[in-house]
Amino acid sequence: MPILAAAVVLFFVTAGLLHALLGQQSAYDIVKGMLKTYAVERHDDGSWNARNVEEPYEKVTNDKMIMWDAAHYNSIKEYLYRSPYDPKGKDYAFFPLFPLLWRTTGLPPLGICLLNILLFAIGATLLASLFRNKMPAWMFLLALCMPYLVIFAIPYSEALFFITTATGLYGLIKRRYWIFFLGFLLASMTRSASNILLVAWLITDLLLCLRHRETWKSFFRNVALHLAPVATGVLAVIIIQHLRGAGSPFQFVSAQGLWGKELSLPSWPFTDWSVEGKSVTWPLIFTLFIPALAWLATKLFSALRHNEVNETTETSREWQTARILSVLFFVGNIVLALFTQKGCMYSQARLLTCTSFFFFLLFDCASQPVPKVWRWVIATFLMVSAVYCHTMLLGTSTLGCIITLLLISMVFFHHWMKPWLRYTLVGILLLLNIFWTAYLFNCFLNGGWIFT
């Protein structure tokens, strides 16, 4: 699927050109009433805030790329967790592989952004190769309709996490354990997702053990094989952080408290730090979370009741493993946020969508007709989500809501659309997402409260 890699690069080039165009006063004046731009105000005490202004898009420079979490990755790259500007140790909440890669390459911020785009393109191509004979080429363009692709074009760790987990999933389905091990080991050194992966693998292996009527010995063997790379990766993080001054083996856990994360009961109504993030997170949660839980419940019910398994393909077990794991990773991120963020769903827009697990589900669901009962379930929650999010359906800063709802509709219902309608909607989605990506990129450059 080299064509997908080329499409990814073309997508970001087009978004970049649009951003540059809107940096011209004459072009910006045409659409400034539709756009929200920010300006950073820095104070003498080191604090800062972003206020709304009507100015053309920012010019891209290396200095302006060091915003939000990118500043912490840059700090780790420069000081390896011993920054004199981080007396509280907030940097320990971030895992080291991405800043080590950045340090090793010696690239400036703009250079690491280009590398991130390349890593994402390779990872997406690797995933797409698994579906080469399962769906027509145009469906792979749905990957470019994901509403937070901008995260792969800034100095964040998502691109590295994407390609490493994509490698792990590829090794899983192709039954190449060393590829699987390497992918998930590196992924576990990139982002603090080991807690979700730990529970997800346990549940996945338990469901499959019950479904296939395997022995408990086989269950524990599978769990050990699947968790070995995760445990090894986390151990490597512990050693690296300990050598660089961490006060405890699990300093990265306690450091989360410095970012406001702590065990707490879920709170309603949900909140968010930005309307941009909310416009993607809300329709995702209200459309897919409960159906995902229901799907997992049916898998458990089926595993407990059925005595026979009809294997239709040689790799059906591996596909089922990847499918269940990916759904659990999606659900796990939401559950973790519910019980640690006191109802504030910040960061979920990127944590839910910008992973190889979500892309795998996108390709998997798009490649096969959805059973009638699930069509009704998804359609019902789409309508509920549209009603609940109706205030976000109009407006440039909440364009992510329209993109997300249209993308979900395309994934689950394109089989029942006329060809002309499919192609029209995909074209509209691509154009909207290019515009939205350029907008979010500018928000990042000028300090908008979006990226956390």
Side-chain angles (χ1 to χ4, degrees):
M1 292 273 97
I3 189 172
L4 180 57
V8 169
V9 174
L10 181 60
F11 176 91
F12 284 107
V13 168
T14 306
L17 290 174
L18 178 60
H19 180 274
L21 177 64
L22 292 175
Q24 305 299 315
Q25 186 70 54
S26 57
Y28 174 77
D29 286 340
I30 298 174
V31 294
K32 69 178 180 180
M34 301 167 53
L35 302 175
K36 183 187 294 184
T37 53
Y38 301 90
V40 172
E41 292 182 336
R42 302 190 182 276
H43 308 295
D44 293 338
D45 61 359
S47 63
W48 60 275
N49 66 287
R51 61 183 177 85
N52 290 339
V53 295
E54 287 192 355
E55 296 177 357
Y57 278 8
E58 293 274 1
K59 293 188 182 301
V60 181
T61 65
N62 281 307
D63 290 342
K64 290 175 182 175
M65 299 304 297
I66 307 300
M67 293 292 296
W68 295 106
D69 286 357
H72 295 278
Y73 288 122
N74 185 65
S75 173
I76 299 170
K77 179 202 72 170
E78 294 292 333
Y79 300 102
L80 296 179
Y81 292 108
R82 290 184 174 176
S83 171
Y85 308 105
D86 183 36
K88 294 182 178 180
K90 284 188 172 184
D91 285 352
Y92 285 109
F94 299 87
F95 277 25
L97 190 59
F98 173 67
L100 286 176
L101 173 66
W102 192 353
R103 183 185 180 95
T104 302
T105 61
L107 291 170
L110 287 173
I112 201 65
C113 293
L114 295 176
L115 179 59
N116 274 347
I117 292 173
L118 180 61
L119 292 177
F120 168 62
I122 296 172
T125 301
L126 190 64
L127 272 184
S129 69
L130 297 173
F131 296 86
R132 187 189 307 273
N133 300 319
K134 291 179 176 288
M135 58 188 194
W138 73 266
M139 288 189 196
F140 293 106
L141 293 177
L142 292 176
L144 299 179
C145 302
M146 202 71 71
Y148 246 68
L149 293 182
V150 67
I151 213 72
F152 299 118
I154 60 179
Y156 273 38
S157 64
E158 264 71 17
L160 185 58
F161 187 72
F162 189 100
I163 192 173
T164 52
T165 49
T167 301
L169 290 173
Y170 183 88
L172 171 68
I173 290 177
K174 294 296 184 179
R175 298 182 179 181
R176 299 290 186 269
Y177 184 75
W178 71 270
I179 298 178
F180 164 84
F181 188 96
L182 179 63
F184 277 99
L185 182 151
L186 295 176
S188 299
M189 295 177 63
T190 303
R191 239 185 64 191
S192 56
S194 55
N195 49 357
I196 299 175
L197 286 173
L198 170 66
V199 178
W201 273 121
L202 285 171
I203 296 176
T204 299
D205 286 329
L206 180 60
L207 283 175
L208 290 174
C209 175
L210 294 172
R211 183 73 179 93
H212 293 267
R213 295 301 182 263
E214 296 172 344
T215 64
W216 287 111
K217 179 180 179 180
S218 177
F219 165 71
F220 287 115
R221 177 181 178 275
N222 288 332
V223 169
L225 288 173
H226 291 149
L227 291 185
V230 178
T232 305
V234 173
L235 179 61
V237 172
I238 291 173
I239 293 172
I240 292 171
Q241 292 193 343
H242 174 73
L243 293 176
R244 301 305 298 174
S248 69
F250 294 96
Q251 186 75 25
F252 59 86
V253 177
S254 58
Q256 295 292 333
L258 300 174
W259 294 93
K261 292 187 177 182
E262 57 185 29
L263 287 177
S264 57
L265 293 175
S267 177
W268 178 265
F270 296 153
T271 58
D272 203 313
W273 291 351
S274 72
V275 294
E276 288 87 355
K278 180 180 178 180
S279 72
V280 175
T281 302
W282 263 229
L284 278 175
I285 292 177
F286 290 114
T287 303
L288 299 180
F289 181 57
I290 293 179
L293 288 176
W295 183 83
L296 290 170
T298 63
K299 289 299 175 185
L300 176 60
F301 183 75
S302 175
L304 292 173
R305 284 181 58 89
H306 293 176
N307 295 319
E308 297 182 359
V309 179
N310 294 321
E311 298 288 354
T312 56
T313 66
E314 183 183 355
T315 58
S316 60
R317 181 188 173 87
E318 285 71 32
W319 280 94
Q320 188 74 351
T321 300
R323 190 175 294 131
I324 295 173
L325 179 71
S326 297
V327 173
L328 283 167
F329 192 82
F330 176 82
V331 169
N333 272 287
I334 298 175
V335 171
L336 185 64
L338 288 175
F339 286 93
T340 60
Q341 297 182 182
K342 301 176 182 179
C344 186
M345 306 304 287
Y346 63 88
S347 296
Q348 291 305 299
R350 64 183 173 96
L351 296 179
L352 292 176
T353 63
C354 298
T355 70
S356 62
F357 301 105
F358 197 79
F359 274 65
F360 179 88
L361 291 176
L362 182 150
F363 291 148
D364 193 38
C365 293
S367 65
Q368 53 191 324
V370 179
K372 186 176 181 179
V373 62
W374 289 110
R375 294 207 306 271
W376 280 106
V377 169
I378 295 297
T380 300
F381 280 93
L382 268 172
M383 289 186 288
V384 170
S385 180
V387 171
Y388 188 85
C389 303
H390 69 279
T391 57
M392 294 188 286
L393 294 177
L394 297 174
T396 305
S397 60
T398 55
L399 184 58
C401 184
I402 296 176
I403 295 173
T404 303
L405 291 175
L406 280 177
L407 176 60
I408 294 173
S409 300
M410 282 294 297
V411 169
F412 287 100
F413 301 107
H414 70 85
H415 290 283
W416 295 272
M417 296 179 182
K418 298 290 185 182
W420 68 267
L421 182 58
R422 294 176 197 162
Y423 303 142
T424 300
L425 286 178
V426 169
I428 291 173
L429 273 171
L430 284 172
L431 291 175
L432 290 177
N433 207 30
I434 289 171
F435 182 85
W436 175 243
T437 300
Y439 169 79
L440 291 182
F441 184 67
N442 192 64
C443 290
F444 174 79
L445 291 176
N446 55 36
W449 287 85
I450 297 175
F451 302 90
T452 54

